[in-house]
Structure formats: C-alpha cells, structure tokens
Amino acid sequence: MKTTSPLSLLLTLVSIFVSTVDLSAQYKQTIVNRTTLVQNSGNIIPLQRLDKLKIAVVTPVKGKYIPFVEQVQKYAEVSVFDFNMYEENTKYFNTIIVAATERELRSDLAALLQQSAVNRKHVILSLFKESAPLENPWTSPASQSGFTKLVSPGIDATSQRNAAMSLFGGLALTEGKLKTEQTRIQYAAGESSGLDISKMTTRIDAIAKEAISKHAAPGLVVMALKSGQVIFEKAYGSHTYESKQATAVDDIFDLASISKIAGTTPVVMTLQEQGIIHLDSTIGHYLGQAKTTNKADITTRSVLLHEAGFTPFIPFYRNLKPGDLQSYEDSDHQVKVADNAFLKNNYYQNVMWPEMLNSAVKPTGNYVYSDISMYVMKEIAEHETSTPMEEFVQDFLYKPIGMKTAGYTPRTRFDKSRIVPTQHDTAFRKVLLQGYVHDEGAAMAGGVAGHAGLFATANDLAIYGQLLLNRGEYGGVRYFKPETVDLFTSNQSQSSRRGLGFDRADPDLKKEYPSKLANSSVYGHTGYTGTCIWIDPKHQLVYIFLSNRVHPQVTGKLYELNIRSRIQDVIYETINEEK
C-alpha cells in the first residue's frame, strides 16, 4: 500500500487552501469608454490569439491616427499602411483594422475593403464621428455585412486610444447592445483610479534620480499595474553614463534570472499539467545521461525548489583553453557569445553539460540557490518536447498573448539600438555586451539557458504578470489551469520561502523582502542585471523594475541604496492611501 509522506500531505493541504482563496484577477474599469460596438462579425472582438492574426492597420490619411496606432502596437505586432497600393500591401494579412472618419471612407475605399472581405480577411472598421453625420458608403445594411464596426464619439487622442484598447479587450465595451469584458491590460495611466498618481510619480522620480546620480545604474524602467490597469510606466536615464541615448519604456533589457520564471518555468508548468513531466519523477527518469550519475534519483520537484544539493555556480569561462574562444568566426567557431567573440562549436554539449552532470551534490532538502537547477529543467523539457525551449515557449505562450519582444538572442531579431547594454566584459569576451546575455554560462550555451538568456521589455513582463494574476488566462484564452499557477507560485518548501521555480516574499518581516509592505501572497523573481518582477494577488498588483546596474561594471549600489524595494514601497503606500 502506498503511503503519503508528511511533506506531500502538507503540500496538498497548501494547494487546497490556495485554491479556496479567491486570488483571481479582478479587473476594475475606472474610465468611461464611449466606444460602441455596432457589429461584431464572427464575434472577433475582443481579439484573442494574436499568433493567429496578421494585422494591418490602414488609415486614409497617413500619420493622422498616431494615438490609435501607438495603442494598438502595445498589444500586437502590426504593419501600418494608407490606401495607396492597398491590395498589394495587405495581401499577406488576415486582419485589416481601419481607423477613419466616415467622411474619409469614400466609395472607392469601401470597394477595396469589400474585396478584402471576399478574400476571407477580417475587416474591422474603427470609425470616429465628426461633428455632422454624412451620407457615406457604410449606411446601407448590404455594405456592412461581413464587417466588424466600432464607433467612437470623437476623434481626439483619448477616443483613439480607447477605441484601440476596445479592440483587444483592454477596455470593456459597455455602450449599446453589443458588450464585451476586459480581457487584457488597460493602458490608462491610472485615470480615475482613485490613486494619487501625481504624488506617486514625484516620489518615484526622486528615487530614480538618486539611483542614476549615485551610479547604481545609468538607466531604468519602472512599470506597475493595479487591477488590470497600468498605473505607472516611465523610463529614466540613459543606456550608458555617456547619455548618448535616453532610456525608453519599450527598450529591451537582459532579464537575467527572471528567465527562470518567465522562460523555463512556464514551459515546465504546461508540461506538468499535461502529465508529461511529473514533479516526483527523477532526473534519471527523463535524462539517460544522468542515470549513472549522482543526480539520477533527484526529483524535479527538489530541482525547482533549489533543494537538489547542486553547486550554486560553475564559472565555465575560467576553464577555457587556448583556441576555444577567438575574435572571428570560422567553421569550428560559430557560437557567437558577443560582438567579435566566437566560441568553439558544441562547447556546451561536449564540456559544460558533462561537467554539470558530474558535479558534486550535497544531500537534498536544504535550500541552496543554484543556476544548475534550470540548466537541468531546460534539458528535461527539450527531451520531452523534442523542441528547443526558445521555440516552444514562443509558440505556446509569448506569441499568442502578445509578448512581442520576449525571447532569447535578441540581436537576431531587433536593432541593436533597442537593446540596453550591460557590462563591459573585461574578463571573458573583452567587449561591451549589447544584446548578448550577460551571464557567461548562458552565453557559452548559445545564449539560451534555463537560468538566464531571456530579454524583454517591461510591457512584455506586465502581460506575463497579468496572465499569472489571472491564474492562467489572458486575452480570453486559457493557457494554464488555475491550480497549476497556484501550485507553482505558492510556498512549496519546508526549508525556504520558495515556490516551484518562483521566489516569494520572505515570511521574516524583518528582512523586508522584496518590500517592507509586501504580503504573503507575493511571488516573482529578481535578476542579477538589476531587474525584478513581483506579482501580488492580494492587491491585484504587478510591479516591474528593469535596469542595467552591471554597466559599465558590476556594482552593488542598487542593493545598497535599496532602489527596487523603495520604489515598490511607494507603490504600496499609494495604494494604501487610495482616495
């Protein structure tokens, strides 16, 4: 007869308790949305799986609808055109969003859009009313069949932004007969939130200024969401202390160990809930290479809890031999670890992974934070899915929910200027790192590792954080079961504060981690490069801080000045002072 261990019983009780407490998303729409949904062909609004949509935004007047376009770009990858060469430009798009006034939609343009409908494209009209109604091609029922149509009461910037948010579920549509619910983040800068946003901004500005002036980091981005609404989003400083390029809110940062919970862990979560990975199965069960090692009988649960007894860190780059790394690419050196730095082919497979498999282990059960843990979980996931982890996570999560920049090896996907530089590496790669992962081991593994390598914007992390607050649902689509999110993010250890992959608020209030006002529901992670994301179900809060505190060299001033926690404190204090 199989017996249940005290630990398993405790964890089961914790899971049951968590599932009985309603910590689901509680969207709170505080702004008035006058956009009206007149027709919803195929019930396409609000838009759902963004990976299934190739979106073109078309305007009759080039450059006129900038607030609308910019808001749409917060949610999805889009291409923007006017009606010049319309058919050719929109040929490869399956969703056409038109922003225009009724006056601008002449009969010839109407004919073009009707042809798109014939070609089985979704045509969405976002019309903005002018002062006087006009006779136009869209008044007859026949001309409107097959289209989706939204109408806004004005053409001002607020009306444009609200219309764009309405398309994606960032705002619920409450006017008229056809209504929708909020399903995505709302970008309203705390409008009508009851919070003193001005006071909060002044206080955060002062802390950010202190961080930059005292060289804790040359630049940073802070973002906060409350009840599904962005209440704060601001960039500070510059990419470097030379101040040649100002930091922007859509800059891409090296997330460092946030990769553990936003890259590897969601892959493990979906495989666990599908029954592909079992938390109490062993490393040796999944990895043939581990069967003859001291790691064969270690469970994946203990690995995710950092209780596997692994060594914390192996400085692989210090063991390079002459000829392993060189400044130019050739047939034997094609692993690019930085600009003008190329590693010998298969170094990870031939040297690093075998060294990890054969490294010493201590008795399991004690908490020892180790990067090796997520190297192992990445290997397990890739063997089970037969897919590189970076591809798998893009396809099942990032692309569908609109995480536009999140991913590994960003220099292959984005212009260098969009990526915030990190350290000027003087020990290993001998160059300024920009778009190449700061972590040496992750770089040597080709830029994709379980513990590091992920790059993203604050907005991408906000989307992921809201998905977790929603307990697995976003944009009207469920990606994780609620109980899966509860299991991984709740405390699952008898010896530490940790969840499965996730870090959590420290129960010792004297440590004030991650904030003196954080509560027991808070989970998330920090990153060595000066980053963090913390999700608070109790207050329906997501807090994101991104910086490059390791530039030009590693400094501890971000910790010494307690910058991340103090900003988080300000946000909590603002919420607690809600009008």
Side-chain angles (χ1 to χ4, degrees):
M1 179 177 177
K2 186 177 180 180
T3 59
T4 302
S5 70
L7 176 59
S8 296
L9 180 60
L10 173 66
L11 297 181
T12 299
L13 291 173
V14 168
S15 181
I16 292 172
F17 172 75
V18 170
S19 65
T20 60
V21 179
D22 185 12
L23 296 178
S24 299
Q26 299 162 26
Y27 287 127
K28 183 181 178 182
Q29 185 155 313
T30 60
I31 66 175
V32 177
N33 182 19
R34 298 299 187 196
T35 308
T36 302
L37 182 59
V38 177
Q39 189 163 303
N40 194 8
S41 179
N43 291 317
I44 192 173
I45 303 300
L47 299 172
Q48 293 190 352
R49 287 282 302 250
L50 299 180
D51 57 327
K52 305 297 184 184
L53 305 178
K54 295 188 67 176
I55 302 173
V57 175
V58 181
T59 62
V61 181
K62 190 173 183 179
K64 180 177 179 181
Y65 294 91
I66 292 175
F68 180 88
V69 172
E70 289 180 345
Q71 196 67 75
V72 167
Q73 289 172 332
K74 285 279 191 180
Y75 293 106
E77 291 283 2
V78 301
S79 296
V80 183
F81 306 105
D82 57 22
F83 278 94
N84 184 41
M85 297 185 66
Y86 170 85
E87 288 190 281
E88 187 62 31
N89 286 335
T90 61
K91 180 167 58 175
Y92 299 118
F93 295 86
N94 61 16
T95 306
I96 314 297
I97 299 174
V98 180
T101 65
E102 293 179 335
R103 184 191 301 272
E104 291 167 335
L105 284 179
R106 308 183 310 267
S107 58
D108 57 325
L109 305 185
L112 292 173
L113 296 174
Q114 287 164 348
Q115 182 60 51
S116 290
V118 170
N119 296 140
R120 300 184 300 119
K121 300 178 188 293
H122 302 294
V123 178
I124 302 169
L125 306 178
S126 184
L127 300 179
F128 300 95
K129 283 189 176 181
E130 297 173 292
S131 56
L134 299 171
E135 290 295 328
N136 63 81
W138 309 100
T139 55
S140 69
S143 67
Q144 296 195 27
S145 62
F147 294 92
T148 292
K149 181 180 176 182
L150 295 88
V151 177
S152 299
I155 198 170
D156 57 280
T158 297
S159 294
Q160 290 187 45
R161 286 192 291 267
N162 288 355
M165 286 192 282
S166 300
L167 294 174
F168 290 87
L171 276 177
L173 286 157
T174 58
E175 302 278 327
K177 293 182 179 180
L178 299 177
K179 295 178 172 59
T180 64
E181 296 181 351
Q182 182 179 347
T183 60
R184 283 192 172 87
I185 290 172
Q186 179 185 120
Y187 300 91
E191 182 182 336
S192 304
S193 64
L195 303 175
D196 192 337
I197 302 298
S198 177
K199 179 181 176 182
M200 179 177 71
T201 301
T202 298
R203 296 179 66 191
I204 293 175
D205 286 352
I207 299 171
K209 182 178 179 181
E210 178 187 354
I212 295 165
S213 65
K214 293 186 177 181
H215 281 210
L220 52 105
V221 172
V222 179
M223 192 169 182
L225 288 74
K226 176 75 169 72
S227 302
Q229 182 186 114
V230 176
I231 59 171
F232 192 86
E233 183 183 23
K234 193 169 181 179
Y236 299 90
S238 305
H239 281 199
T240 68
Y241 288 111
E242 287 75 29
S243 301
K244 293 180 179 179
Q245 182 176 345
T247 306
V249 293
D250 60 351
D251 279 340
I252 300 167
F253 285 79
D254 182 338
L255 301 182
S257 283
I258 291 178
S259 305
K260 293 180 172 72
I261 67 159
T264 309
T265 300
V267 173
V268 176
M269 288 167 67
T270 195
L271 297 180
Q272 184 270 340
E273 73 174 27
Q274 293 173 26
I276 295 172
I277 287 178
H278 298 274
L279 297 176
D280 294 316
S281 292
T282 63
I283 297 173
H285 174 74
Y286 295 110
L287 300 176
Q289 295 166 300
K291 289 185 186 298
T292 58
T293 73
N294 54 11
K295 298 171 182 61
D297 297 327
I298 297 173
T299 66
T300 59
R301 185 188 301 275
S302 63
V303 174
L304 288 164
L305 290 172
H306 295 277
E307 295 177 2
F310 295 155
T311 185
F313 171 72
I314 301 175
F316 297 105
Y317 72 98
R318 295 177 185 171
N319 302 323
L320 288 169
K321 298 176 181 178
D324 286 343
L325 185 72
Q326 62 186 37
S327 61
Y328 58 93
E329 184 178 16
D330 61 21
S331 59
D332 295 323
H333 298 78
Q334 296 182 345
V335 180
K336 194 172 185 181
V337 295
D339 289 314
N340 304 315
F342 297 88
L343 183 67
K344 191 174 182 179
N345 297 348
N346 301 315
Y347 192 89
Y348 170 80
Q349 294 89 339
N350 295 337
V351 178
M352 294 171 62
W353 180 235
E355 184 174 346
M356 283 185 267
L357 284 172
N358 293 301
S359 62
V361 294
K362 294 180 180 180
T364 60
N366 296 316
Y367 173 71
V368 179
Y369 184 74
S370 172
D371 287 342
I372 308 302
S373 63
M374 288 301 184
Y375 278 107
V376 168
M377 293 313 302
K378 173 180 176 290
E379 287 290 336
I380 290 174
E382 291 184 331
H383 277 81
E384 291 301 313
T385 62
S386 305
T387 306
M389 189 186 71
E390 66 271 28
E391 293 181 18
F392 188 89
V393 74
Q394 283 285 353
D395 290 342
F396 104 89
L397 188 63
Y398 296 165
K399 291 178 181 178
I401 66 175
M403 293 174 69
K404 300 195 301 178
T405 62
Y408 302 81
T409 60
R411 284 283 295 275
T412 64
R413 298 179 294 131
F414 299 100
D415 188 88
K416 179 179 177 180
S417 64
R418 284 200 63 189
I419 308 168
V420 177
T422 53
Q423 187 176 7
H424 191 285
D425 186 348
T426 58
F428 169 32
R429 288 161 280 187
K430 310 295 178 68
V431 69
L432 174 65
L433 303 176
Q434 189 167 5
Y436 293 94
V437 59
H438 174 265
D439 183 271
E440 297 90 351
M444 296 169 73
V448 185
H451 69 295
L454 189 63
F455 287 71
T457 60
N459 190 61
D460 282 340
L461 283 183
I463 292 169
Y464 180 59
Q466 190 63 50
L467 167 80
L468 294 171
L469 267 188
N470 296 358
R471 296 172 71 211
E473 186 175 4
Y474 191 75
V477 178
R478 179 157 294 285
Y479 296 92
F480 300 107
K481 298 174 183 177
E483 54 266 32
T484 300
V485 177
D486 295 343
L487 174 67
F488 277 74
T489 60
S490 61
N491 179 251
Q492 295 291 315
S493 172
Q494 290 182 313
S495 62
S496 79
R497 65 180 183 242
R498 303 287 299 204
L500 296 167
F502 288 87
D503 196 4
R504 291 183 46 80
D506 201 299
D508 183 351
L509 300 181
K510 293 180 181 178
K511 294 183 179 179
E512 298 184 349
Y513 180 83
S515 158
K516 66 183 180 182
L517 297 175
N519 60 76
S520 59
S521 77
V522 172
Y523 58 89
H525 218 284
T526 60
Y528 185 79
T529 50
T531 60
C532 72
I533 176 173
W534 293 106
I535 296 112
D536 181 342
K538 180 180 178 180
H539 290 98
Q540 289 295 293
L541 179 71
V542 179
Y543 165 61
I544 295 152
F545 180 101
L546 302 180
S547 78
N548 55 338
R549 67 109 187 169
V550 296
H551 180 81
Q553 297 297 325
V554 175
T555 171
K557 289 185 179 179
L558 194 74
Y559 302 103
E560 294 163 13
L561 297 171
N562 206 21
I563 299 298
R564 288 178 288 194
S565 294
R566 286 166 59 200
I567 292 177
Q568 192 172 4
D569 291 340
V570 169
I571 295 167
Y572 272 124
E573 287 163 0
T574 302
I575 291 170
N576 292 336
E577 295 169 358
E578 186 173 357
K579 299 172 184 176

Coordinates of all heavy atoms in Angstrom, one line a residue, residues 335-373:
V335 N 29.7 29.7 -32.4 CA 28.8 30.1 -31.2 C 29.2 31.5 -30.9 O 30.2 31.8 -30.2 CB 29.0 29.1 -30.0 CG1 28.1 29.6 -28.9 CG2 28.8 27.7 -30.4
K336 N 28.4 32.5 -31.3 CA 28.7 33.9 -31.1 C 28.3 34.3 -29.6 O 27.1 34.3 -29.3 CB 28.0 34.7 -32.1 CG 28.5 36.2 -32.1 CD 27.9 36.9 -33.3 CE 28.5 38.3 -33.4 NZ 28.0 39.1 -34.5
V337 N 29.2 34.6 -28.8 CA 29.0 34.9 -27.4 C 29.0 36.4 -27.2 O 28.6 36.9 -26.1 CB 30.0 34.2 -26.5 CG1 29.8 32.7 -26.5 CG2 31.4 34.6 -26.8
A338 N 29.4 37.2 -28.2 CA 29.4 38.7 -28.1 C 29.9 39.2 -29.5 O 30.3 38.4 -30.3 CB 30.3 39.2 -27.0
D339 N 29.9 40.5 -29.7 CA 30.4 41.0 -30.9 C 31.9 40.7 -30.9 O 32.7 40.9 -29.9 CB 30.3 42.6 -30.9 CG 28.8 43.0 -31.1 OD1 28.2 42.4 -32.0 OD2 28.4 43.9 -30.4
N340 N 32.3 40.1 -32.0 CA 33.8 39.7 -32.2 C 34.2 38.7 -31.2 O 35.4 38.7 -30.8 CB 34.7 41.0 -32.2 CG 34.2 42.0 -33.2 OD1 33.9 41.6 -34.4 ND2 34.2 43.2 -32.8
A341 N 33.4 37.8 -30.8 CA 33.8 36.8 -29.8 C 33.0 35.5 -30.2 O 31.8 35.4 -30.1 CB 33.5 37.2 -28.4
F342 N 33.8 34.5 -30.6 CA 33.2 33.2 -31.1 C 33.8 32.0 -30.4 O 35.0 31.8 -30.3 CB 33.4 33.1 -32.6 CG 32.8 34.1 -33.4 CD1 33.4 35.3 -33.7 CD2 31.5 34.0 -33.9 CE1 32.9 36.4 -34.4 CE2 30.9 35.0 -34.7 CZ 31.6 36.2 -34.9
L343 N 32.9 31.2 -29.8 CA 33.3 30.0 -29.1 C 33.3 28.8 -29.9 O 32.5 28.7 -30.9 CB 32.3 29.8 -27.9 CG 32.5 28.7 -26.9 CD1 33.8 29.0 -26.1 CD2 31.3 28.5 -26.0
K344 N 34.1 27.9 -29.6 CA 34.2 26.6 -30.3 C 32.9 25.9 -30.3 O 32.1 25.9 -29.4 CB 35.3 25.7 -29.6 CG 35.7 24.5 -30.3 CD 36.8 23.7 -29.6 CE 37.3 22.5 -30.4 NZ 38.4 21.8 -29.6
N345 N 32.6 25.3 -31.5 CA 31.3 24.6 -31.7 C 31.1 23.5 -30.6 O 32.0 22.8 -30.2 CB 31.3 23.9 -33.1 CG 31.3 25.0 -34.2 OD1 31.2 26.2 -33.9 ND2 31.5 24.5 -35.4
N346 N 29.8 23.3 -30.2 CA 29.4 22.3 -29.3 C 30.1 22.3 -28.0 O 30.2 21.2 -27.3 CB 29.6 20.9 -30.0 CG 28.8 20.8 -31.3 OD1 27.7 21.1 -31.3 ND2 29.5 20.3 -32.3
Y347 N 30.6 23.4 -27.5 CA 31.3 23.5 -26.3 C 30.3 23.2 -25.1 O 30.7 22.5 -24.2 CB 31.9 24.9 -26.1 CG 32.8 25.0 -24.9 CD1 34.2 24.7 -25.1 CD2 32.4 25.3 -23.6 CE1 35.1 24.8 -24.0 CE2 33.3 25.4 -22.6 CZ 34.6 25.1 -22.8 OH 35.5 25.1 -21.7
Y348 N 29.1 23.6 -25.2 CA 28.1 23.3 -24.2 C 27.9 21.8 -24.1 O 28.0 21.2 -23.0 CB 26.8 24.0 -24.5 CG 25.7 23.5 -23.6 CD1 25.6 24.0 -22.3 CD2 24.7 22.6 -24.0 CE1 24.6 23.6 -21.4 CE2 23.7 22.1 -23.2 CZ 23.7 22.6 -21.9 OH 22.7 22.2 -21.0
Q349 N 27.7 21.2 -25.2 CA 27.4 19.7 -25.3 C 28.6 18.9 -24.8 O 28.4 17.9 -24.1 CB 26.9 19.3 -26.7 CG 25.6 19.9 -27.1 CD 25.8 21.2 -27.8 OE1 26.8 21.9 -27.7 NE2 24.8 21.6 -28.6
N350 N 29.8 19.3 -25.3 CA 31.0 18.5 -25.0 C 31.7 18.7 -23.7 O 32.3 17.9 -23.2 CB 32.0 18.7 -26.2 CG 31.5 18.2 -27.5 OD1 30.6 17.4 -27.6 ND2 32.0 18.8 -28.6
V351 N 31.5 19.9 -23.2 CA 32.3 20.3 -22.0 C 31.3 20.7 -20.8 O 31.4 20.1 -19.7 CB 33.2 21.5 -22.3 CG1 34.0 21.9 -21.0 CG2 34.2 21.1 -23.4
M352 N 30.4 21.7 -21.1 CA 29.7 22.2 -19.9 C 28.6 21.3 -19.4 O 28.6 21.1 -18.2 CB 29.0 23.5 -20.4 CG 29.9 24.6 -20.7 SD 29.1 26.0 -21.5 CE 27.9 26.5 -20.2
W353 N 27.8 20.7 -20.2 CA 26.8 19.8 -19.7 C 27.4 18.5 -19.1 O 26.9 18.2 -18.0 CB 25.8 19.4 -20.9 CG 24.7 18.5 -20.5 CD1 24.4 17.3 -21.1 CD2 23.7 18.7 -19.5 NE1 23.3 16.7 -20.5 CE2 22.9 17.5 -19.5 CE3 23.5 19.6 -18.5 CZ2 21.8 17.4 -18.6 CZ3 22.5 19.5 -17.6 CH2 21.6 18.4 -17.7
P354 N 28.4 17.9 -19.6 CA 29.0 16.8 -18.9 C 29.6 17.2 -17.5 O 29.5 16.4 -16.6 CB 30.1 16.3 -19.8 CG 29.6 16.7 -21.2 CD 28.9 18.0 -21.0
E355 N 30.2 18.4 -17.5 CA 30.7 18.9 -16.2 C 29.6 19.1 -15.2 O 29.7 18.7 -14.0 CB 31.5 20.2 -16.4 CG 32.1 20.6 -15.1 CD 33.0 21.9 -15.3 OE1 33.4 22.2 -16.4 OE2 33.4 22.5 -14.2
M356 N 28.4 19.6 -15.6 CA 27.3 19.7 -14.7 C 26.8 18.4 -14.2 O 26.5 18.2 -13.0 CB 26.2 20.5 -15.4 CG 26.4 22.0 -15.4 SD 25.0 22.9 -16.1 CE 25.5 23.0 -17.8
L357 N 26.7 17.4 -15.2 CA 26.2 16.1 -14.8 C 27.1 15.4 -13.8 O 26.6 14.7 -12.9 CB 26.1 15.2 -16.1 CG 24.9 15.5 -17.0 CD1 25.0 14.7 -18.3 CD2 23.6 15.2 -16.3
N358 N 28.4 15.7 -13.8 CA 29.3 15.0 -13.0 C 29.7 15.9 -11.8 O 30.6 15.4 -11.0 CB 30.6 14.6 -13.8 CG 30.2 13.5 -14.8 OD1 29.8 12.4 -14.5 ND2 30.4 13.8 -16.1
S359 N 29.1 17.0 -11.6 CA 29.5 17.9 -10.5 C 29.0 17.3 -9.2 O 28.0 16.5 -9.1 CB 28.9 19.3 -10.7 OG 27.5 19.2 -10.7
A360 N 29.6 17.7 -8.1 CA 29.2 17.2 -6.8 C 27.8 17.6 -6.4 O 27.3 18.7 -6.8 CB 30.2 17.7 -5.7
V361 N 27.2 16.8 -5.5 CA 25.9 17.2 -5.0 C 26.0 17.0 -3.4 O 26.6 16.0 -3.0 CB 24.7 16.4 -5.6 CG1 24.5 16.7 -7.0 CG2 24.9 14.9 -5.3
K362 N 25.2 17.8 -2.7 CA 25.1 17.6 -1.3 C 23.7 17.0 -1.0 O 22.9 16.9 -1.9 CB 25.2 19.0 -0.6 CG 26.6 19.6 -0.7 CD 26.7 20.9 0.0 CE 28.1 21.5 -0.2 NZ 28.2 22.9 0.5
P363 N 23.5 16.5 0.2 CA 22.2 15.9 0.5 C 21.0 16.8 0.1 O 21.1 18.0 0.3 CB 22.2 15.7 2.0 CG 23.7 15.5 2.3 CD 24.4 16.5 1.3
T364 N 20.0 16.3 -0.5 CA 18.8 17.1 -0.9 C 18.0 17.5 0.3 O 18.1 16.9 1.4 CB 17.9 16.3 -1.8 OG1 17.5 15.1 -1.2 CG2 18.7 15.9 -3.1
G365 N 17.2 18.5 0.1 CA 16.3 19.0 1.1 C 16.6 20.4 1.7 O 15.7 21.1 2.2
N366 N 17.9 20.8 1.6 CA 18.3 22.1 2.1 C 18.3 23.1 0.9 O 18.7 22.7 -0.2 CB 19.7 22.0 2.7 CG 19.7 21.2 3.9 OD1 18.8 21.3 4.8 ND2 20.7 20.3 4.1
Y367 N 17.9 24.3 1.2 CA 17.8 25.3 0.1 C 19.2 25.9 -0.2 O 19.8 26.4 0.7 CB 16.9 26.4 0.5 CG 16.8 27.6 -0.4 CD1 16.2 27.5 -1.7 CD2 17.4 28.8 -0.1 CE1 16.2 28.5 -2.6 CE2 17.4 29.9 -1.0 CZ 16.8 29.8 -2.2 OH 16.8 30.8 -3.1
V368 N 19.6 25.7 -1.5 CA 20.8 26.2 -2.0 C 20.5 26.7 -3.4 O 20.3 25.9 -4.3 CB 22.0 25.2 -2.0 CG1 23.2 25.9 -2.6 CG2 22.3 24.7 -0.6
Y369 N 20.4 28.0 -3.5 CA 20.1 28.6 -4.9 C 21.2 28.3 -5.9 O 22.3 28.6 -5.7 CB 20.0 30.1 -4.7 CG 19.5 30.8 -6.0 CD1 18.2 30.8 -6.4 CD2 20.4 31.6 -6.7 CE1 17.8 31.5 -7.5 CE2 20.0 32.3 -7.8 CZ 18.7 32.2 -8.2 OH 18.3 32.9 -9.4
S370 N 20.8 27.6 -7.0 CA 21.7 27.1 -8.0 C 21.2 27.4 -9.4 O 20.1 27.0 -9.7 CB 22.0 25.6 -7.7 OG 22.8 25.1 -8.8
D371 N 22.1 27.9 -10.2 CA 21.8 28.0 -11.6 C 21.7 26.7 -12.3 O 21.0 26.5 -13.3 CB 22.9 28.9 -12.3 CG 22.8 30.3 -12.0 OD1 21.7 30.8 -11.5 OD2 23.8 31.1 -12.2
I372 N 22.4 25.7 -11.8 CA 22.4 24.3 -12.4 C 21.0 23.8 -12.5 O 20.7 23.1 -13.4 CB 23.3 23.4 -11.6 CG1 24.7 24.0 -11.4 CG2 23.4 22.0 -12.3 CD1 25.5 24.3 -12.6
S373 N 20.1 24.2 -11.5 CA 18.8 23.6 -11.5 C 18.0 23.9 -12.8 O 17.4 23.0 -13.3 CB 18.0 24.3 -10.3 OG 17.9 25.7 -10.5

